[in-house]
Amino acid sequence: MNIENKKNGIDQYSDEELIKNWLGFENKFAIVNGVQLHYVQGGSGSPLLCLPGWPQTWYSFHKIAPHLAENYRVIVVDIRGMGTSGKPKDGYDKKTMAKDIYELIKHLGFEKVNLLGHDIGGMVAMSFAFNYTEAIDKLIVMDGAHPTEGMLQMPLIPAKGTFSDKMDVNMPYVWWMAFNQVRHLPEKLLEGRFRYLLDYLFSYVMLDDTKMTDFEREVYASVYNNPENIRASNAWYQSFTEDIEDSKNYKPLTIPVLGIGSNSSYNYIKMGLPYVAINCKVEGIMDSGHYMIEENPKKIIELVTGFLS
């Protein structure tokens, strides 16, 4: 299960080592909105900011970012609480995290950007669009929409016959939504043992979890084995009630929006996104589970470039 973190004294899972495989990209840090954000950037053209989700980091875009950088200035950000970005005690509501991104954009000197978010990153991206519409050209959300009151209807107990080794696409049971609400306990249980959660999660939500390599799993385990990273990433979930209240004040988006849904999320995104985005298009990748970048990167690149161009 475990791979040695260091070879010849070098941490092979560090940002500095991982970025070496992204031709033309470099690591950067910026202090914005009172928090230090780590990001990587490369390419040239119109800016495209990418926001990853749980339980991953900037590295989750390694199969698509170098390709997108052929036509765009690609910036992949470790959001507040992720990777080597800052992990303050508070500020994990999506409105505050959206301000982090807005301040980063100003720091980088951009007036407008295209924004792509996956999972939790999609929630932050949507909050950004709601709060800083003037600073965004096009929005892409992948298996991640802004929290709404519908979340409060999620079952704590799965319906009979719907919970097995693989997620039921018609009645998905997202057990981590409740688990990550618990304070203090997850970091005690998972410190140094996060690979167990990763392996179970990837097997459960992916159609073909062999597409998530052992190296990739160790990259993320090396980050989330740290109790502070577990505490901070769970705070993204613990702020959902605050996010839900914020959502009640938002007006529908008028900018172009593309929703990309996996086999378990497509129908939900297709039903829900038009309520909050007037000018939206929804695409489904039905031969892929939640981690679509790993399972079908070519399709993601095709959809993203087609939409942006």
Side-chain angles (χ1 to χ4, degrees), residues 20-296:
K20 290 178 180 179
N21 294 319
W22 291 36
L23 186 63
F25 278 77
E26 57 184 347
N27 282 302
K28 293 285 187 178
F29 289 90
I31 297 177
V32 292
N33 197 29
V35 65
Q36 178 173 273
L37 294 184
H38 166 256
Y39 61 97
V40 301
Q41 64 177 2
S44 60
S46 300
L48 171 62
L49 262 74
C50 303
L51 309 180
W54 178 86
Q56 296 181 290
T57 65
W58 65 274
Y59 189 69
S60 64
F61 281 82
H62 73 97
K63 288 186 176 181
I64 66 172
H67 295 280
L68 294 173
E70 295 173 3
N71 296 296
Y72 301 96
R73 174 75 174 275
V74 177
I75 301 103
V76 187
V77 186
D78 276 333
I79 55 180
R80 175 185 295 239
M82 175 181 285
T84 49
S85 285
K87 300 163 189 68
K89 295 299 181 183
D90 52 22
Y92 296 94
D93 62 282
K94 308 310 165 291
K95 190 173 183 177
T96 297
M97 295 176 73
K99 187 178 181 182
D100 295 344
I101 303 305
Y102 177 69
E103 295 294 337
L104 177 63
I105 288 170
K106 291 201 300 183
H107 171 81
L108 293 171
F110 301 130
E111 290 186 6
K112 284 193 171 187
V113 300
N114 299 299
L115 195 55
L116 186 162
H118 175 244
D119 188 78
I120 295 291
M123 299 180 186
V124 178
M126 286 198 70
S127 181
F128 181 97
F130 285 128
N131 288 285
Y132 304 102
T133 307
E134 74 283 357
I136 186 170
D137 280 321
K138 294 183 178 182
L139 171 67
I140 304 166
V141 289
M142 297 170 30
D143 264 23
H146 195 283
T148 67
E149 287 185 306
M151 279 186 166
L152 302 178
Q153 308 306 316
M154 288 181 172
L156 182 61
I157 304 297
K160 184 178 180 180
T162 63
F163 186 34
S164 62
D165 292 340
K166 291 289 184 181
M167 180 183 283
D168 187 308
V169 298
N170 296 312
M171 297 188 69
Y173 179 54
V174 288
W175 50 267
W176 58 91
M177 291 285 188
F179 179 76
N180 290 350
Q181 298 296 323
V182 181
R183 298 177 187 269
H184 310 304
L185 181 62
E187 48 265 50
K188 293 178 181 178
L189 295 175
L190 295 170
E191 180 180 1
R193 298 162 57 87
F194 207 86
R195 178 65 189 267
Y196 290 108
L197 185 148
L198 289 173
D199 286 344
Y200 183 91
L201 178 72
F202 294 148
S203 176
Y204 180 62
V205 303
M206 296 178 73
L207 292 184
D208 182 4
D209 70 304
T210 65
K211 297 291 182 66
M212 188 74 71
T213 67
D214 192 67
F215 181 81
E216 289 169 304
R217 294 166 193 246
E218 286 296 319
V219 168
Y220 307 132
S222 71
V223 171
Y224 290 91
N225 277 333
N226 185 310
E228 272 297 279
N229 290 53
I230 299 170
R231 187 268 308 166
S233 60
N234 283 5
W236 303 330
Y237 293 82
Q238 293 159 9
S239 65
F240 282 168
T241 51
E242 187 173 350
D243 300 330
I244 291 169
E245 289 303 308
D246 287 335
S247 73
K248 296 176 182 178
N249 299 314
Y250 296 149
K251 296 180 180 179
L253 299 171
T254 57
I255 59 169
V257 178
L258 171 65
I260 305 176
S262 67
N263 68 327
S264 60
S265 297
Y266 171 68
N267 287 331
Y268 295 95
I269 295 175
K270 188 177 181 179
M271 287 188 293
L273 196 58
Y275 283 100
V276 296
I278 296 171
N279 182 15
C280 76
K281 180 181 182 181
V282 179
E283 298 280 359
I285 303 182
M286 309 311 289
D287 60 351
S288 174
H290 178 64
Y291 295 97
M292 296 176 283
I293 295 177
E294 288 78 12
E295 289 202 68
N296 200 334

